[in-house]
Amino acid sequence: GDSVTQMEGPVTLSEEAFLTINCTYTATGYPSLFWYVQYPGEGLQLLLKATKADDKGSNKGFEATYRKETTSFHLEKGSVQVSDSAVYFCALSDWDTGNQFYFGTGTSLTVIP
Amino acid sequence: DVKVTQSSRYLVKRTGEKVFLECVQDMDHENMFWYRQDPGLGLRLIYFSYDVKMKEKGDIPEGYSVSREKKERFSLILESASTNQTSMYLCASSSPGQGAAEAFFGQGTRLTVV
């Protein structure tokens, strides 16, 4: 079945450091891929998305590229800020499985000044 | 601004009570979902619905039921609350189809069963 595996945390970085959070997936069809962010006490917000191979999603300095050959969708940011401290979830939605969403377990990021 | 609204941010209920969690969306989405979120386990799907009066079990449906009488409203019911159902509950909605139709989430309900 479909699944998402993402890098375990927690991750602690200094401000302006480079961020990578790894995400790989297994899907029966050709899924859409997403990164969501959750700030403390809140629901999940969409950060970025990609629908097909080699698409790059980007938002607020974050980027991720849909890599079909490696079934990956790694999240990157060149220079993190304290305000980026949150939990990040990788997810997929697969038309072949009725558009259910499959989430990774989440990666907690803390950025220290 | 599109919205998914959950009726409560925080709830405290007693063991054995019947608990209703309500979710309303204003985007005319066909699909609606209930997840629970626990530390180290991520989001686990309880139930989802792809149309009015239609429902499908997710990964952890035991102890829960759902109701969708109107397109915009999806209710999660804990038939007899137990302490192991203490969790964060998240409702989401989306529009079906191929392509990147993302899920929109409510703010979550933190339920404590005592």
Side-chain angles (χ1 to χ4, degrees):
Chain A
D2 290 12
S3 66
V4 175
T5 302
Q6 71 180 94
M7 172 176 145
E8 296 216 5
V11 174
T12 302
L13 294 173
S14 297
E15 208 164 19
E16 299 184 0
F18 184 86
L19 169 71
T20 300
I21 301 178
N22 290 337
C23 172
T24 58
Y25 68 89
T26 302
T28 53
Y30 201 151
S32 297
L33 302 175
F34 308 86
W35 276 100
Y36 282 84
V37 59
Q38 184 180 35
Y39 299 103
E42 301 293 325
L44 275 67
Q45 304 173 25
L46 179 70
L47 180 60
L48 52 84
K49 63 186 180 186
T51 57
K52 61 184 186 296
D54 301 324
D55 259 6
K56 178 185 281 188
S58 61
N59 186 25
K60 300 181 182 179
F62 290 90
E63 293 182 340
T65 300
Y66 191 144
R67 299 286 187 202
K68 195 167 190 291
E69 65 276 12
T70 55
T71 61
S72 66
F73 193 54
H74 305 320
L75 182 68
E76 296 181 336
K77 187 174 185 183
S79 176
V80 294
Q81 306 300 312
V82 172
S83 57
D84 294 327
S85 298
V87 180
Y88 292 83
F89 291 90
C90 186
L92 71 82
S93 175
D94 191 348
W95 168 255
D96 284 359
T97 54
N99 282 142
Q100 287 189 55
F101 285 81
Y102 297 86
F103 289 86
T105 52
T107 301
S108 175
L109 170 67
T110 301
V111 180
I112 54 177
Chain B
D1 215 13
V2 295
K3 267 196 169 174
V4 178
T5 303
Q6 295 182 227
S7 52
S8 305
R9 290 294 297 269
Y10 301 95
L11 273 181
V12 180
K13 297 292 181 180
R14 295 193 181 279
T15 300
E17 276 194 76
K18 192 168 185 175
V19 181
F20 293 84
L21 303 183
E22 307 286 344
C23 175
V24 177
Q25 52 97 1
D26 64 1
M27 295 166 279
D28 202 35
H29 284 165
E30 287 82 358
N31 294 348
M32 296 189 74
F33 309 85
W34 275 107
Y35 294 90
R36 65 176 280 177
Q37 182 181 12
D38 300 289
L41 298 177
L43 275 69
R44 293 181 291 168
L45 181 64
I46 305 171
Y47 269 95
F48 72 99
S49 169
Y50 52 89
D51 202 351
V52 174
K53 296 191 188 294
M54 307 301 285
K55 60 186 179 185
E56 294 283 342
K57 292 180 180 179
D59 300 319
I60 51 164
E62 297 78 18
Y64 303 94
S65 62
V66 289
S67 172
R68 192 165 182 202
E69 296 296 319
K70 294 185 177 182
K71 191 176 185 181
E72 68 270 18
R73 186 179 296 269
F74 192 36
S75 303
L76 180 70
I77 304 155
L78 285 66
E79 298 292 344
S80 177
S82 64
T83 54
N84 63 13
Q85 292 178 309
T86 291
S87 187
M88 171 75 105
Y89 290 87
L90 293 167
C91 175
S93 72
S94 75
S95 194
Q98 293 177 297
E102 70 262 34
F104 293 84
F105 282 83
Q107 75 279 28
T109 297
R110 185 162 294 283
L111 172 67
T112 303
V113 182
V114 298

